[in-house]
Amino acid sequence: MIAHLPILQVIVPLIAAPLCLILRRAHLVWLFALFASGIAFLTSILLLQQVMDTGTIVYELGGWEAPWGIEYRIDKLNAFLLLIITMISTVVLMAAKKGIEKEISSEKHTLFYVLYLLSLTGMLGIVATGDAFNVFVFLEISSLSAYALIALGNDRRALWAAYQYLIMGTIGATFILIGIGMMYQMTGTLNMEDLSRRLPEISQTRTVFAAFAFVIVGICLKLALFPLHLWLPNAYSYAPSIVTAFFAATATKVAIYLLIRFTFSVFGLTFSFTTLPLQTLFIVLGLLGIFVASTTAIYQQNVKRLFAYSSIAQIGYMIVGFSISSVTGLTATLLHVFNHALMKSALFLALGAVMYRVGSVDLKHFHGLGRQMPLTMAAIVVGGLSLIGVPLTVGFVSKWYLLLALIEQGWWPVAVLVLLGSLLAIIYVWRIVEAAYFKPPLANTGDIKEAPLQYLIPIWILILANIYFGIDTRLTVSVAQAASQSLFGVGL
Amino acid sequence: MDAGNDWAAAFFGLYNYWIVVVLMMVGFYIVIAHGNLIKKIIGLTIFQTSVFIYYISMGNVDGGTAPILADNISQYSNPLPHVLILTAIVVGIATTALGLALAIRIKESYGTIEEEIIQGMDNPG
């Protein structure tokens, strides 16, 4: 059993998805999906323990030895990402039953869980696999179910958002496919570890340069790196709240993982950062992303859209940490991947609760909510503080490491800009606080009650995690540090 | 050999790649330039097809045949890219189907499949 954990991690949600169709009854399906996701969560905890104790786990599918067969390779980075994805997926699913009640029409509830589990499978597969082509297949599994999930939204704009995402996402995935093809053409292998050994020998050829460009641009489209972020605000604003909470916390994180995996492991540090000017390019795009997206967030009237823009800004921080290309910088990025997942899933779930009670997430409908939904709004405030990076929240930990990494390199101007970017976050979080606590309720809203427990429990689990991991950083920092050290070590 | 011949050899010797590049750009251009949702999907399909051709022609070995075990055959084409692309074709079909399904739903709720009109309806004024 233990030996098969890597494959079970992916295959449990994959098998659970069609089984949902057999169960049919929405309540049962919800419990079953929650159970499957919980099993995946347990698996990822066991995997992380095992990896931290004994090092990288290699699992050969069907007993075929790599590079002929496909292998799943779980190292510290993979295990960390698997833990984040399954944790968020499980907590978000706890709220799903109430969450989709009003936002998705009832005959589609079963299908929602099927798509959700398939999307989860795709993301877990991307992270678990050690085969470049397998990455593409899983990427498409998760993306196709993501398009359909977004289109489930009641608003007709959700359809348009899903369509735009489909076009952009498919171009991104096809770019990655072209890049993988070029790598295969040059090396005759698809296994990532094998690629990392063979690519340096031919790294000066134009085909490898082109392959790198295609793969990186493709991943950046999926990542919503500024200026390739255009699909994200619409998709996050009009998708059902549960879907937004799940994707905001996981989908872009998986793309960050791919970026790290391809630049650090497959192409190698020397090629990615020395031969090509990736560092300068990414640091500029990352900073631009922080400023443009944060400024745009300030002017949004729809709070879901506001946090969608804030997500693009947070991706900017991850990219800045990534492009420092030092152990501390990468640690900061990985910490922020974990921490941002906690903040954004909590925030979007809280917005889901507001949607459930109020029926809208426009800023003007937040007036007076501080008194009407105290627990939900308190969660939004704590999440917002975490987003700004106030001490005692997780947001502080990752910003702290990011600044440490920047100062370590002597990049003072960038450090100042990162701090300035956080000031912008104060403004957009303040706008929500002002509306909720300092404005009288709208006259005609009637009686708005606190969110149902099924919403409050998952929201507060995540918020408490935000505070807990902001104070006790031993687990996250040690895993993130170990993962980034191993990436700077000898290849995979 | 003079420069003209070199150029011609490079051009015709790599003709499969030229086809791929042309198809890829045609498809990509349609996706970007056309506002009609169905035409965009057609463009996307052409774009993806060019990548299929790229993989398929990459696996071909000059004078090689299908990889079947037989006595008088010694040179085989590489079957792996061909198998890989079967998967990609399936993925491509799924994408097209989903895209078309979305286009139908958009037509039902917006009454149009023109990008400009839809955006005008979403952001009036």
Side-chain angles (χ1 to χ4, degrees), chain A residues 70-84:
Chain A
I70 292 171
E71 66 171 5
Y72 280 8
R73 183 173 269 272
I74 317 284
D75 65 8
K76 292 176 182 120
L77 176 65
N78 303 62
F80 189 49
L81 260 292
L82 291 174
L83 181 78
I84 297 173

Side-chain angles (χ1 to χ4, degrees), chain B:
Chain B
M1 222 195 276
D2 60 306
N5 268 342
D6 265 358
W7 182 85
F11 187 85
F12 291 110
L14 298 170
Y15 73 96
N16 51 333
Y17 295 111
W18 291 109
I19 293 172
V20 169
V21 169
V22 168
L23 275 181
M24 196 182 281
M25 289 305 118
V26 166
F28 204 33
Y29 178 80
I30 296 173
V31 176
I32 295 168
H34 279 274
N36 183 303
L37 302 194
I38 303 290
K39 285 184 185 163
K40 270 183 189 290
I41 290 172
I42 294 174
L44 202 61
T45 312
I46 297 175
F47 178 60
Q48 288 180 308
T49 308
S50 75
V51 183
F52 304 159
I53 298 176
Y54 172 57
Y55 267 74
I56 292 166
S57 65
M58 168 208 308
N60 186 52
V61 175
D62 274 343
T65 79
I68 301 163
L69 204 57
D71 288 339
N72 49 355
I73 301 171
S74 58
Q75 204 166 28
Y76 306 108
S77 283
N78 183 352
L80 185 67
H82 300 170
V83 179
L84 292 180
I85 227 56
L86 273 180
T87 317
I89 288 171
V90 174
V91 169
I93 289 170
T95 314
T96 312
L98 185 59
L100 289 174
L102 282 173
I104 292 171
R105 294 271 311 276
I106 288 173
K107 169 79 177 164
E108 279 170 4
S109 49
Y110 283 87
T112 177
I113 47 164
E114 291 297 329
E115 188 180 1
E116 275 180 32
I117 303 176
I118 293 169
Q119 278 177 337
M121 288 163 93
D122 279 349
N123 315 303

Side-chain angles (χ1 to χ4, degrees), chain A residues 323-383:
Chain A
S323 50
I324 298 169
S325 83
S326 70
V327 175
T328 329
L330 200 60
T331 309
T333 299
L334 292 177
L335 278 173
H336 205 48
V337 164
F338 181 85
N339 297 342
H340 181 246
L342 285 180
M343 305 172 208
K344 269 297 152 55
S345 50
L347 282 169
F348 277 116
L349 274 185
L351 290 184
V354 172
M355 193 78 172
Y356 184 80
R357 285 298 188 210
V358 185
S360 159
V361 285
D362 279 343
L363 202 56
K364 59 174 185 286
H365 290 110
F366 273 69
H367 289 186
L369 276 193
R371 242 163 267 129
Q372 288 162 322
M373 303 177 73
L375 287 171
T376 313
M377 286 315 298
I380 292 187
V381 171
V382 179

Side-chain angles (χ1 to χ4, degrees), chain A residues 90-349:
Chain A
T90 311
V91 179
V92 169
L93 261 182
M94 288 162 77
K97 188 166 174 296
K98 277 278 177 228
I100 61 175
E101 210 170 75
K102 289 192 181 171
E103 291 186 56
I104 298 174
S105 56
S106 58
E107 75 271 13
K108 289 184 193 140
H109 282 185
T110 311
L111 291 175
F112 163 82
Y113 294 110
V114 174
L115 289 170
Y116 188 100
L117 286 175
L118 279 178
S119 192
L120 175 65
T121 308
M123 291 192 230
L124 294 175
I126 295 172
V127 178
T129 189
D131 181 277
F133 192 81
N134 218 224
V135 165
F136 166 75
V137 176
F138 279 120
L139 188 69
E140 285 295 48
I141 292 179
S142 79
S143 304
L144 285 168
S145 32
Y147 310 144
L149 276 173
I150 290 166
L152 284 177
N154 270 340
D155 196 316
R156 68 176 179 184
R157 284 173 293 187
L159 295 172
W160 178 232
Y163 183 89
Q164 281 178 311
Y165 186 18
L166 180 129
I167 297 287
M168 297 242 207
T170 307
I171 291 173
T174 311
F175 269 30
I176 294 174
L177 185 63
I178 298 170
I180 291 170
M182 288 175 167
M183 285 193 257
Y184 178 74
Q185 197 173 19
M186 292 306 285
T187 59
T189 180
L190 287 166
N191 181 283
M192 287 187 187
E193 216 212 344
D194 212 19
L195 276 171
S196 72
R197 256 182 270 120
R198 293 187 190 204
L199 277 173
E201 295 163 22
I202 43 156
S203 66
Q204 293 305 319
T205 55
R206 204 171 290 171
T207 315
V208 176
F209 275 65
F212 185 76
F214 272 117
V215 169
I216 296 298
V217 173
I219 293 173
C220 285
L221 255 168
K222 289 276 172 197
L223 190 69
L225 174 67
F226 179 86
L228 300 172
H229 65 278
L230 294 170
W231 58 267
L232 189 143
N234 275 335
Y236 282 15
S237 315
Y238 303 123
S241 304
I242 293 293
V243 175
T244 310
F246 180 44
F247 284 144
T250 52
T252 46
K253 310 298 176 293
V254 171
I256 293 262
Y257 159 78
L258 276 183
L259 184 66
I260 294 174
R261 182 56 84 210
F262 272 99
T263 46
F264 281 85
S265 306
V266 175
F267 284 97
L269 201 57
T270 353
F271 181 77
S272 308
F273 285 96
T274 321
T275 322
L276 291 169
L278 198 64
Q279 194 166 39
T280 334
L281 185 70
F282 269 22
I283 210 134
V284 171
L285 289 181
L287 286 173
L288 269 176
I290 293 174
F291 279 92
V292 175
S294 301
T295 318
T296 319
I298 293 173
Y299 292 101
Q300 295 307 313
Q301 290 306 319
N302 179 320
V303 181
K304 235 166 146 184
R305 208 177 174 78
L306 184 155
F307 282 126
Y309 275 105
S310 137
S311 282
I312 300 168
Q314 302 300 318
I315 289 162
Y317 290 108
M318 295 172 208
I319 292 295
V320 169
F322 163 82
S323 50
I324 298 169
S325 83
S326 70
V327 175
T328 329
L330 200 60
T331 309
T333 299
L334 292 177
L335 278 173
H336 205 48
V337 164
F338 181 85
N339 297 342
H340 181 246
L342 285 180
M343 305 172 208
K344 269 297 152 55
S345 50
L347 282 169
F348 277 116
L349 274 185

